[in-house]
Amino acid sequence: MNGSRTYAFDNALDIQRERLRALETLLDPGTIDQLEARGVSSGWRCLEVGAGGGSIAGWLSDRVGPDGSVLATDLDTTHLLDLSRPNLEIRVHDVLRDELPEAEFDLVHLRLVLAWLPDPSTALRRLVAALEPSGMLVAEELDFVSVAVDPRVEPASASTFARVVAAHNELLEAKHAFDPAYGRRLAGDLEDAGLVEIGCAGRSAIWRGDGAGGRVWQLTLVQLRDALVGAGAVTAAEVDAAIALCGDPRLRFMSQLCVTAWGRRDPA
């Protein structure tokens, strides 16, 4: 995670490592499709912001090959330390404060970063400045508008899950400056940052309690349990019931919408 000290999760914990791996399982195929569609190829110079578990940084390094390069940044590089490529540099970096080279990169990519920042517009302006003329920025963010339980799920369980998801959104927004609706703002923010040729797409899926999607929610709620209970919107029994549901294959629900937006730096 880059640029925010309010991030709700501790990357040093084993449980967070597992959560990041589950997120990669869910999101990487769509991310790779989008990057391939943007034409990422041999020789590109890439900046991966908020590199997290490192899966996309590794993919980019392999994709651009020995003639290209990847700079992977994060406030906490705990899960990047085992990632080794001759064309990959790993750097502790705060996207809101630390310097970046100007007009350097063919591609800037970031996933699940901007919604955590107190000032995403400033981060985007700085990242646009790091692009070479006509360079491409690709950003991906979640929008929780789509999270909804399959109506065939037992009503009491569905209600509990929905209440805890709502409490999760409220907690992160109030205590961690997280915007659970940022996905719908993303394309407009890229345009406001001065990018041109803006494009946008979204993807969602049905997640199950016994799959990677259920596991992401389970690991999220386990880490936030005490804060959720302390906030008072849901009880300890409700949070514990939701955690259990997230391991139950009978739970099916629509995932968050993952919005990808992209644009080029104006060469003028």
Side-chain angles (χ1 to χ4, degrees), residues 183 186-187 198-202 259-262:
L186 183 57
I198 303 293
C200 189
V259 179
T260 305
W262 60 89

Side-chain angles (χ1 to χ4, degrees), residues 8-234:
F9 306 101
D10 184 349
N11 280 356
L13 298 176
D14 288 343
I15 191 174
Q16 177 62 3
R17 180 186 295 271
E18 184 183 351
R19 181 176 175 273
L20 289 172
R21 294 304 180 215
L23 279 168
E24 290 171 346
T25 297
L26 293 163
L27 299 181
D28 279 5
T31 294
I32 290 168
D33 285 347
Q34 289 292 341
L35 293 174
E36 289 179 334
R38 309 283 79 77
V40 179
S41 59
S42 178
W44 280 38
R45 295 161 297 166
C46 303
L47 171 61
E48 175 71 4
V49 180
S55 60
I56 295 302
W59 182 87
L60 284 170
S61 298
D62 295 340
R63 181 79 170 187
V64 303
D67 295 328
S69 63
V70 177
L71 172 60
T73 71
D74 209 309
L75 278 176
D76 183 346
T77 59
T78 298
H79 301 306
L80 301 175
L81 299 179
D82 294 332
L83 188 63
S84 178
R85 303 285 196 285
N87 61 350
L88 173 66
E89 177 186 353
I90 296 167
R91 185 183 302 177
V92 175
H93 185 271
D94 185 329
V95 72
L96 289 176
R97 298 177 179 87
D98 298 333
E99 294 299 317
L100 281 170
E102 294 194 5
E104 175 73 18
F105 300 102
D106 301 293
L107 172 76
V108 171
H109 174 256
L110 60 165
R111 185 174 75 189
L112 312 191
V113 172
L114 294 170
W116 290 97
L117 301 183
D119 189 4
S121 61
T122 293
L124 283 170
R125 287 194 299 270
R126 301 186 84 219
L127 293 173
V128 170
L131 288 169
E132 69 164 12
S134 297
M136 174 79 67
L137 186 145
V138 179
E140 300 179 278
E141 294 293 334
L142 299 180
D143 196 310
F144 286 71
V145 66
S146 58
V147 179
V149 180
D150 183 333
R152 291 169 293 185
V153 173
E154 189 269 326
S157 296
S159 177
T160 296
F161 183 76
R163 287 197 304 275
V164 173
V165 167
H168 158 279
N169 294 348
E170 292 167 5
L171 174 72
L172 295 187
E173 189 168 12
K175 300 296 185 181
H176 299 280
F178 177 74
D179 183 355
Y182 189 79
R184 69 196 74 173
R185 293 180 44 193
L186 183 57
D189 278 3
L190 265 58
E191 185 172 3
D192 289 347
L195 293 172
V196 298
E197 301 178 29
I198 303 293
C200 189
R203 60 188 188 271
S204 187
I206 297 295
W207 289 354
R208 293 175 60 102
D210 61 343
R215 189 61 174 152
V216 164
W217 271 104
Q218 191 172 57
L219 296 169
T220 298
L221 296 177
V222 167
Q223 292 185 77
L224 298 179
R225 181 189 183 277
D226 291 345
L228 285 165
V229 174
V234 287

